[in-house]
Amino acid sequence: MPRDLVSGLFWLAVAIFAAVQGLSLKLGSLNRPGAGFFPFWGGVVLGLLSIVLVVSSRGRDAAAGSRSRPESSKPLVVVGALLGYLLLLETIGFVAVTFLFLLLLFRLERLTWAFSAVSAGVGALASYVLFQLWLKTQLPTGPFGF
């Protein structure tokens, strides 16, 4: 069975589950959303995108034939980096671990060190400004105080 078809059907099942669970909660209105508003509409959008993926994969896989496996271990490195992000978040703080995570992701794509460092710094600083200063979200500070 083609990979896009399997993933499309999987996400369609997740979408149906989310929409049903959202319906079991109070939906509310657009001005006053209830607890089920976002799960329901998120499930609807995810379901529509899943259907598009399933339909498009049927034609694409018939024309393309069999797919080869990726030669890279990038997905494993990214999963390891996400786990490291979670484990180090409280220890070294949000800004530092976000910077390191983004730096690793940029370097994984073989971008230059200068571009990777500047982009990771801008991304970490922008997320700090967005979440800590603008939205007033409490973020782990770590030993550096930010």
Side-chain angles (χ1 to χ4, degrees):
M1 190 177 274
R3 189 181 310 177
D4 285 346
L5 179 62
V6 172
S7 63
L9 292 174
F10 170 79
W11 289 113
L12 183 60
V14 171
I16 291 170
F17 177 77
V20 167
Q21 293 301 313
L23 280 176
S24 69
L25 301 170
K26 185 178 179 182
L27 286 180
S29 66
L30 189 59
N31 294 335
R32 291 185 161 241
F37 186 81
F38 288 110
F40 173 74
W41 288 109
V44 168
V45 170
L46 182 61
L48 292 174
L49 293 173
S50 300
I51 291 170
V52 168
L53 180 62
V54 167
V55 169
S56 68
S57 72
R58 307 268 306 161
R60 207 173 345 140
D61 288 329
S66 65
R67 292 185 179 202
S68 62
R69 300 188 93 194
E71 299 173 15
S72 176
S73 61
K74 284 182 185 179
L76 293 176
V77 173
V78 171
V79 168
L82 282 169
L83 290 174
Y85 187 92
L86 291 173
L87 294 173
L88 294 173
L89 187 60
E90 293 289 330
T91 307
I92 66 173
F94 176 77
V95 175
V97 78
T98 302
F99 172 79
L100 292 173
F101 178 70
L102 290 175
L103 182 66
L104 175 78
L105 292 182
F106 286 128
R107 289 299 300 151
L108 198 60
E109 288 299 315
R110 302 186 196 281
L111 300 172
T112 64
W113 276 103
F115 179 82
S116 299
V118 169
S119 298
V122 168
L125 181 64
S127 62
Y128 176 79
V129 168
L130 173 69
F131 292 113
Q132 183 74 32
L133 301 179
W134 189 42
L135 295 175
K136 307 287 189 221
T137 305
Q138 186 176 356
L139 299 172
T141 57
F144 305 114
F146 55 86

